[in-house]
Amino acid sequence: MGAQIKKIEYIFPETVVTNEDLKKDFPDYDFERFEEKVGIKRRYIVKESETGLDLAEKACSKLFESFDKQKIDYILYCTQSPEYYLPTTACILQERLGLRTDIGALDFNLGCSGFTYGVNLANALISSGQVENVLLVTAETYSKFIHPKDKTNRSIFGDAATATLISKTDEDNILKFKFGTDGSGYDKLIIKNGCSRFPLDPNAEEIGYGTDNIYTDNHLYMNGPEIFNFTTKVIPNFVKEIMEENKMEVGQVDQFVFHQANSFMLDFLRKRIKINKENFYNDLSDGGNTVSCTIPIALKRYTESLKENKELSLLIVGFGVGLSWSGGIIKINNKL
């Protein structure tokens, strides 16, 4: 008995922010060079009254157009944009979707590694015989946490939600996963104020990155160079470990789908690991970095681009805030 990713749907908010739109706020920034290097043309952001849960509900409803929602046995809800401190957002989603009450529902707080963690958790629930169908949801609205004058983070991050159906199968289609954690880098991507350690500060001082980017401790801070260094140091060897764990060679993987952080970083990793360009997914032009949503969106787009259904072996890897990373091999035989 095993599990398989059966279906993925995703939702972007209605509000589109193009590079041309951002140039109005940052006229001195070279967005043509940004687009060429980072690979992002447009991102989508929620309205002030819209939340990650609103997006999640829409993504799930889209999924249920082709699957009976009453067969869902468990909700895994990955977000760093919860509806409240408490209760658990997954519980609210259960009620909104009209799912059965005899199901499990929990939130887990992870960013860019969240989807890969969720796939493994769903596989464990199914393979242990406890459930048959897991609804894995990712939902992020980082735009709510970014300072209006922070051109880097406003350029990179977008909002989205995804809904993934993971179901019981006769064969193992979710193979061995590996994980990594380095909490010493917790402050490299952080919102310092607003939780238990430090409350929101209405008089928080505006801080610069040493450039013209501005943020406060109430807002999202990302040390881009340190995140890049961490990724390029850890992920190439980590991918080799995943291959060894699954007794596979690079040439046996049909497509490598990494967290879509930025195009420059992805291309650097591809070359370092020596993966052919055609076997490596790199496209975040429409949507940008949507945190835990990038991998399921990429999987959906990649499989939809295929001319026919066929069995594929994919290696998925998430990495980022935490510092946290995880990944493994999945097999699919249909368009998601």
Side-chain angles (χ1 to χ4, degrees):
M1 182 172 62
Q4 183 176 32
I5 295 176
K6 291 288 190 178
K7 187 74 175 175
I8 297 174
E9 296 292 353
Y10 65 88
I11 288 289
F12 289 130
E14 294 180 0
T15 304
V16 185
V17 179
T18 65
N19 291 339
E20 290 74 22
D21 295 327
L22 288 175
K23 193 170 182 65
K24 296 173 185 176
D25 291 337
F26 308 104
D28 297 329
Y29 190 62
D30 188 350
F31 278 98
E32 289 184 1
R33 184 173 181 274
F34 166 85
E35 185 174 314
E36 180 181 350
K37 183 177 180 180
V38 180
I40 300 171
K41 294 182 179 180
R42 66 189 69 86
R43 68 290 294 153
Y44 302 82
I45 64 171
V46 290
K47 300 173 183 176
E48 186 175 351
S49 61
E50 193 173 21
T51 69
L53 176 60
D54 296 329
L55 297 181
E57 181 182 3
K58 292 178 182 179
C60 293
S61 296
K62 192 174 180 181
L63 182 81
F64 293 148
E65 291 175 6
S66 58
F67 183 79
D68 182 2
K69 65 183 182 181
Q70 297 307 324
K71 293 182 178 180
I72 295 296
D73 303 308
Y74 213 105
I75 301 171
L76 293 173
Y77 189 95
C78 176
T79 189
Q80 295 185 317
S81 310
E83 198 79 348
Y84 305 102
Y85 283 118
L86 59 117
T88 304
T89 307
C91 295
I92 307 173
L93 182 63
Q94 174 273 332
E95 191 277 332
R96 281 203 186 184
L97 295 173
L99 304 185
R100 304 185 339 250
T101 57
D102 62 335
I103 69 171
L106 65 84
D107 292 359
F108 62 104
N109 180 335
L110 279 173
C112 310
S113 64
F115 180 77
T116 46
Y117 262 88
V119 168
N120 187 71
L121 290 170
N123 181 48
L125 285 166
I126 293 169
S127 298
S128 63
Q130 298 179 75
V131 300
E132 293 190 0
N133 297 294
V134 175
L135 178 64
L136 171 59
V137 181
T138 65
E140 291 297 352
T141 55
Y142 266 30
S143 68
K144 290 181 176 287
F145 314 138
I146 298 174
H147 194 285
K149 297 179 184 178
D150 186 346
K151 74 171 182 290
T152 297
N153 285 330
R154 282 187 63 192
S155 301
I156 291 173
F157 290 105
D159 302 334
T162 72
T164 300
L165 173 65
I166 302 176
S167 298
K168 175 183 173 182
T169 53
D170 292 332
E171 299 180 356
D172 290 329
N173 294 291
I174 298 173
L175 306 185
K176 292 182 179 179
F177 274 56
K178 292 186 71 65
F179 310 90
T181 305
D182 182 4
S184 69
Y186 79 95
D187 58 349
K188 306 308 179 188
L189 212 170
I190 188 172
I191 302 171
K192 186 176 179 180
N193 293 348
C195 208
S196 298
R197 176 62 59 184
F198 301 106
L200 281 174
D201 180 1
N203 301 310
E205 176 187 2
E206 288 191 343
I207 308 169
Y209 292 92
T211 67
D212 57 349
N213 279 309
I214 301 295
Y215 75 105
T216 77
D217 284 339
N218 294 336
H219 294 92
L220 180 73
Y221 164 73
M222 179 172 69
N223 187 324
E226 287 295 326
I227 294 292
F228 182 87
N229 290 339
F230 142 70
T231 303
T232 55
K233 178 182 178 181
V234 169
I235 298 306
N237 285 334
F238 182 64
V239 170
K240 292 178 183 178
E241 291 172 3
I242 294 172
M243 304 297 296
E244 291 172 359
E245 187 75 16
N246 287 279
K247 296 180 172 58
M248 295 178 68
E249 302 290 338
V250 169
Q252 295 176 282
V253 176
D254 294 292
Q255 193 76 185
F256 292 79
V257 182
F258 289 8
H259 164 54
Q260 303 290 289
N262 71 70
S263 186
F264 177 80
M265 177 188 288
L266 289 170
D267 203 43
F268 185 96
L269 292 172
R270 179 186 68 79
K271 292 175 181 177
R272 177 68 64 87
I273 305 169
K274 298 180 180 179
I275 302 170
N276 293 330
K277 201 169 185 178
E278 60 269 23
N279 300 113
F280 191 86
Y281 194 88
N282 184 349
D283 183 6
L284 60 161
S285 59
D286 183 34
N289 183 338
T290 53
V291 199
S292 58
C293 300
T294 68
I295 295 177
I297 291 172
L299 289 173
K300 176 75 172 180
R301 287 173 167 173
Y302 168 66
T303 59
E304 283 188 330
S305 72
L306 300 175
K307 294 182 180 179
E308 60 182 358
N309 289 336
K310 59 180 180 179
E311 183 170 281
L312 299 169
S313 294
L314 310 179
L315 190 150
I316 58 175
V317 178
F319 46 84
V321 57
L323 299 168
S324 171
W325 59 100
S326 67
I329 301 288
I330 61 172
K331 291 185 177 181
I332 60 172
N333 54 22
N334 60 283
K335 296 183 179 182
L336 299 173

